[in-house]
């Protein structure tokens, strides 16, 4: 199987939800490129380099995953990489509206690129980087949300 896919996102930071999705994606697509977006509209807690490094650490055991940072439009980056499948995760109905809008916008920008959605395991379906950062800021136990190495980095940020 050699259909490549690009999984773009902020990953600020990577959570067990993203990891669950990547484990599923790596069984269906080869290779899976994780695109860490440099987002000028969104202020991120972790730098581009930190987000890439964390993703590399937590996906080191999956052979066909490659983590790269990118700037600009997702469809432009996909085309540059020769990839015509975008992967996104759908957690709940609440994700649907935004994800549909984005998929249709990307389709208008490049009709040769398809967006494919994967659903995480139900025990990951409530995890979001935003809420986890808030929990970290308030000193919560993060062990069921992110791997230890990520929890450590979150604690350092809010120390
Ligand atoms: P963005 O800022 O582009 O939404 P995120 O890093 O928040 O980036 O998410 C990247 C992708 O991963 C999105 O498609 C999002 O729906 C998905 N995702 C985020 N958290 C989870 C989760 N817990 N389970 C499955 N998919 C998720």
């Amino acid at each position: 199987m050699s259909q490549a896919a690009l999984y773009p996102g902020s990953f600020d930071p990577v959570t067990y939800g993203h990891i669950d999705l990547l484990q599923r994606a790596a069984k269906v697509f080869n290779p899976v490129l994780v695109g860490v977006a440099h987002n000028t509209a969104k202020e991120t807690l972790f730098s581009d380099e930190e987000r890439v490094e964390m993703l590399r650490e937590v996906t080191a055991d999956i052979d066909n995953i490659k983590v790269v940072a990118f700037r600009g439009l997702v469809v432009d980056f996909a085309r540059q990489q020769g990839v015509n499948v975008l992967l996104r995760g759908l957690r709940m109905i609440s994700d649907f509206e935004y994800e549909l809008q984005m998929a249709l916008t990307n389709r208008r920008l490049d009709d040769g690129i398809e967006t494919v959605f994967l659903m995480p395991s139900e025990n990951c379906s409530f995890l979001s980087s935003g809420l986890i950062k808030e929990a970290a800021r308030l000193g919560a136990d993060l062990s069921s949300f992110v791997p230890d190495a990520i929890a450590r980095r979150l604690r350092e940020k809010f120390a």
Side-chain angles (χ1 to χ4, degrees):
M1 183 197 20
S2 61
Q3 172 72 62
L6 169 66
Y7 180 32
S10 313
F11 307 102
D12 186 40
V14 59
T15 72
Y16 279 134
H18 299 124
I19 297 170
D20 178 280
L21 218 76
L22 278 166
Q23 283 165 340
R24 290 171 200 285
K27 291 183 200 151
V28 183
F29 297 99
N30 185 25
V32 176
L33 241 68
V34 186
V36 178
H38 173 80
N39 203 332
T40 43
K42 260 194 207 172
E43 178 83 23
T44 54
L45 176 65
F46 293 97
S47 69
D48 298 5
E49 294 73 25
E50 287 173 313
R51 287 179 286 137
V52 166
E53 210 175 274
M54 289 187 284
L55 269 156
R56 286 191 180 143
E57 256 173 65
V58 302
T59 58
D61 58 334
I62 313 177
D63 288 344
N64 55 334
I65 289 184
K66 195 175 153 210
V67 185
V68 278
F70 75 98
R71 283 168 186 255
L73 284 174
V74 168
V75 289
D76 287 344
F77 181 61
R79 222 181 293 122
Q80 266 169 32
Q81 298 292 316
V83 175
N84 54 20
V85 174
L86 297 181
L87 276 179
R88 295 285 291 177
L90 277 182
R91 287 165 286 191
M92 319 240 176
I93 295 286
S94 53
D95 278 342
F96 182 77
E97 200 172 330
Y98 173 69
E99 292 292 343
L100 175 68
Q101 239 176 359
M102 197 155 61
L104 293 179
T105 304
N106 282 333
R107 180 181 287 165
R108 183 63 63 87
L109 293 173
D110 189 333
D111 201 19
I113 297 179
E114 284 303 330
T115 304
V116 171
F117 294 98
L118 292 177
M119 264 130 326
S121 145
E122 61 275 19
N123 56 15
C124 294
S125 63
F126 64 96
L127 294 176
S128 83
S129 299
L131 275 182
I132 292 169
K133 279 182 279 191
E134 188 59 15
R137 196 174 64 77
L138 299 170
D141 172 10
L142 304 174
S143 57
S144 60
F145 305 151
V146 293
D148 287 348
I150 312 299
R152 206 173 316 120
R153 292 199 190 225
L154 278 163
R155 280 196 299 272
E156 280 165 20
K157 285 279 178 197
F158 292 110

